[in-house]
Amino acid sequence: MIRRTLAAIAIAWFLGFLWFATTLPGPLANGESAVAIVPTGAAGRIERGVDLLESGDVREVLVTGVDSNVTRAEFAEQFGLGEARMDCCITLGYAALDTRGNAFETADWVEERDIDSMRLITSDWHMRRAYGEISRLLPSHVALEQDAVPTEPSLRILFVEYHKWLASTFAAWIGLGL
């Protein structure tokens, strides 16, 4: 009986990992988001947010989890943004240290504004966990769209992120999450 239970758990884990690794979310083709939320981290995230801002697809971008040593001027220079664009449309969030912190920082930012739709921009392998943690803290009227930046994650990254996602989902399910 114990062996069968352990075997069933192992099979469920393996099938879950296979699903997680082979069905990564993709970019959002068209969206109606007013703002974009971009957790710092892997390459391509901030660039995607800036591109959407420049194209007019979003009116504001929150970059959450910015290192405290990064100045607004350095950020603007690195991403080719003028002072006017930084002042009107880019908020740098310095409070978050991890994905859970991104969720809290995002919820606080949303509370200060009249926002009803957002676009979450993060790496494809990070999307499920980031989406889960952020969506649990947002008011129910705020629509959150997933806009995943395609990557080529290693097996190690997928393995680690799968377990983080499982832990986050389980913690929320039993009431220990956000």
Side-chain angles (χ1 to χ4, degrees), residues 3 17 22-24 29 40 42 44-45 51-52 57 60 69-70 75 80 98 112 114 119 127-128 133 135 145 159 175:
R3 278 192 241 165
F17 179 71
T22 60
T23 61
L24 295 175
T40 58
R45 297 176 184 186
D51 288 348
L52 289 169
D57 290 330
E60 232 180 317
N69 294 321
V70 175
F75 185 91
D98 56 16
E112 298 170 1
D114 183 27
R119 179 187 294 234
M127 182 58 77
R128 288 186 178 103
E133 296 209 12
S135 65
E145 298 178 297
F159 184 81

Side-chain angles (χ1 to χ4, degrees), residues 1 9 21 31 36 38-39 52 55 74 95 125 134 136 155 165 168:
M1 179 67 173
I9 291 170
V38 183
L52 289 169
S55 69
E74 290 170 334
W125 53 266
I134 291 172
R136 284 191 285 273
L155 185 59
W165 173 74
S168 173

Side-chain angles (χ1 to χ4, degrees), residues 26-57:
L28 183 63
N30 295 314
E32 299 178 13
S33 306
V35 299
I37 307 303
V38 183
T40 58
R45 297 176 184 186
I46 296 172
E47 291 85 348
R48 173 83 173 141
V50 168
D51 288 348
L52 289 169
L53 183 64
E54 295 298 331
S55 69
D57 290 330

Side-chain angles (χ1 to χ4, degrees), residues 100 133 136 163-178:
R100 182 167 286 189
E133 296 209 12
R136 284 191 285 273
H163 289 95
K164 287 180 175 182
W165 173 74
L166 283 176
S168 173
T169 302
F170 182 72
W173 183 64
I174 64 171
L176 295 177
L178 302 172

